[in-house]
Amino acid sequence: MKKYFEFDKLGTNYRREIIGGITTFLAMAYILAVNPIMLSLDVVPDLPDSMRMDKGAVFVATALAAAVGTLFMGLIARYPIGLAPGMGLNAFFAFTVVLTYGIPWQTGLTGVLFSGLIFIVLSLTGLREIIINAIPAQLKFAVGAGIGLFITFLGLQNAKIIVADANTLVGLGDLTVGPTLLTIFGLVVTIIMMARKIKGAIFYGMIMTTVLGMAVSLIDIPHKVVDKIPSVAPTFGAAFDAIINDPGSLMTTQFLVIVITFLFVDFFDTAGTLVAVATQAGLMKEDRLPRAGKALLADSLATVTGAVMGTSTTTSYIESTAGVAAGAKTGFASIVTALLFLLALFFSPLLLVITPAVTAPALIIVGVLMVSTLGNIQWTRFEIAVPAFFTIIAMPLTYSIATGIAIGFVFYPITMLVSGRRKEIHPIMYGLFVIFILYFIYIK
């Protein structure tokens, strides 16, 4: 084991790797509570049951996808990186694909499955480098920041801090009601812990908020701590429904845009996370990431696994940097993290009582972290600033990650062409320009 993970070469040991793996799990464990609430659209009242995914099944799918994906990353790529259904991608799945487009969640899972299969092909060939180089870095930064704003907006809505207003569309909610006060408490304590650089601050903040909610009767007290694992049957294999029963629903521009969005966000989110974690762990060699292809393959296999189980796109988590800071340097730490996700399956009574008021602070804080990419955008270049700004602002204002990406990718070739920078536009960008024009014609 020590030889396979190169403990001596990397200057690590079992104790450091175990502590690092536990730390990574604690830093990203919030997804076990957040994802079922997001995908079940628990915060949206008066929806037919057919539009809601089963919370228990999504919880199991989330834990299994995280465990399998993280295990793949540890064994195949040997990196100390945890994987789980991605924030932003789950919001796109629930609020854009299902709620806005009215697409059945089963077909949404088919889109996740297709994006994962395409990702596998890209990871096994040299196409991944071509695509990475084709998309301008400035637009990648803009997409990350836009998703951050969108997630924060969702969190503020879920907490009723921001509410609908007949005159101004949105406005400040009633900050004196119990659930909203509970969210504010959770947000404050999480910010304090984050500022103090406490590892697992988001997870600990959720625990403290839940305990307070139970103490003041805003959250039900679970009757059990450990229970049998909920059934995954309501979501397992649903990704194949449209392929078998309604293949025509997959032959649309709308479905193509969904697949591209899942693929695009996962692809670049993973690439950025891999580089960030590897750099912090001192694993980069001459500015190149060793075993990058294996890491991307592990990520894509995790997405396919998650789609089959019944959850949105599984991706690498930047929270893995917490584990690296605690000493993790090898894939053994990922094995520890994966085992903890499997163990979490038995604690569903604790996680399934958590309410949107508890998860809202996590959404807001993750949004803050994602918006940090704003500083990397060249705002002084107008031809860059326009598509970047439209990408960022359109996501929360249109309530759609896909629309934000589409607007940015339409304006980028236009502003670059008229600015005399035609040579900086990769041919793939013209193809995306056409796809997203069709998106607005046939979907919007």
Side-chain angles (χ1 to χ4, degrees), residues 251-336:
M251 306 299 177
T252 65
T253 303
Q254 188 180 60
F255 184 76
L256 176 62
V257 169
I258 289 169
V259 173
I260 289 176
T261 302
F262 280 134
L263 178 65
F264 175 85
V265 177
D266 184 27
F267 197 85
F268 294 109
D269 187 44
T270 297
T273 299
L274 289 173
V275 171
V277 175
T279 299
Q280 183 180 352
L283 302 176
M284 297 289 285
K285 294 182 179 179
E286 298 178 354
D287 293 327
R288 296 182 65 85
L289 181 66
R291 306 185 301 281
K294 291 182 178 180
L296 290 171
L297 177 61
D299 195 288
S300 55
L301 289 172
T303 291
V304 171
T305 301
V308 173
M309 293 294 176
T311 184
S312 53
T313 306
T314 303
T315 188
S316 301
Y317 263 55
I318 195 64
E319 284 85 350
S320 303
T321 54
V324 171
K329 287 190 175 182
T330 76
F332 187 82
S334 293
I335 294 176
V336 173

Side-chain angles (χ1 to χ4, degrees), residues 13-250:
N13 54 50
Y14 283 116
R15 180 179 177 276
R16 290 180 182 176
E17 296 300 307
I18 291 172
I19 291 175
I22 294 172
T23 302
T24 294
F25 171 77
L26 292 175
M28 57 189 293
Y30 65 88
I31 193 62
L32 291 170
V34 175
N35 207 46
I37 289 177
M38 293 284 280
L39 296 191
S40 67
L41 289 168
D42 199 35
V43 297
V44 183
D46 303 324
L47 282 181
D49 290 341
S50 60
M51 293 183 67
R52 300 185 187 276
M53 297 182 70
D54 182 85
K55 287 177 68 175
V58 174
F59 164 73
V60 175
T62 300
L64 289 177
V68 172
T70 305
L71 196 62
F72 282 156
M73 184 64 74
L75 292 176
I76 298 175
R78 291 178 286 162
Y79 280 123
I81 296 175
L83 290 86
M87 297 292 290
L89 287 163
N90 55 6
F92 171 70
F93 184 102
F95 291 91
T96 299
V97 176
V98 178
L99 191 60
T100 303
Y101 295 165
I103 291 176
W105 58 263
Q106 295 90 339
T107 305
L109 289 176
T110 307
V112 175
L113 176 64
F114 280 18
S115 71
L117 293 173
I118 295 171
F119 202 168
I120 290 176
V121 174
L122 296 178
S123 300
L124 293 174
T125 66
L127 291 175
R128 64 181 186 271
E129 284 85 2
I130 295 174
I131 295 177
I132 287 177
N133 293 330
I135 310 296
Q138 302 297 310
L139 286 186
K140 298 173 195 173
F141 297 141
V143 169
I147 293 175
L149 286 180
F150 182 64
I151 289 177
T152 298
F153 187 46
L154 283 178
L156 293 170
Q157 277 189 306
N158 292 354
K160 301 295 191 295
I161 295 174
I162 297 297
V163 297
D165 187 288
N167 298 314
T168 60
L169 294 183
V170 294
L172 189 64
D174 184 355
L175 303 185
T176 64
V177 297
T180 301
L181 283 172
L182 191 61
T183 293
I184 294 172
F185 167 81
L187 185 60
V188 171
V189 296
T190 303
I191 288 173
I192 291 172
M193 287 189 289
M194 293 283 289
R196 297 291 299 172
K197 302 187 186 305
I198 296 175
K199 299 176 179 67
I202 294 177
F203 181 68
Y204 294 141
M206 289 177 62
I207 292 176
M208 294 171 67
T209 307
T210 302
V211 171
L212 177 62
M214 291 178 181
V216 297
S217 300
L218 289 173
I219 295 176
D220 295 332
I221 298 175
H223 299 293
K224 296 180 180 178
V225 174
V226 178
D227 199 1
K228 65 179 182 179
I229 301 172
S231 173
V232 74
T235 60
F236 182 78
F240 300 108
D241 286 359
I243 299 174
I244 298 172
N245 301 318
D246 189 17
S249 66
L250 310 181

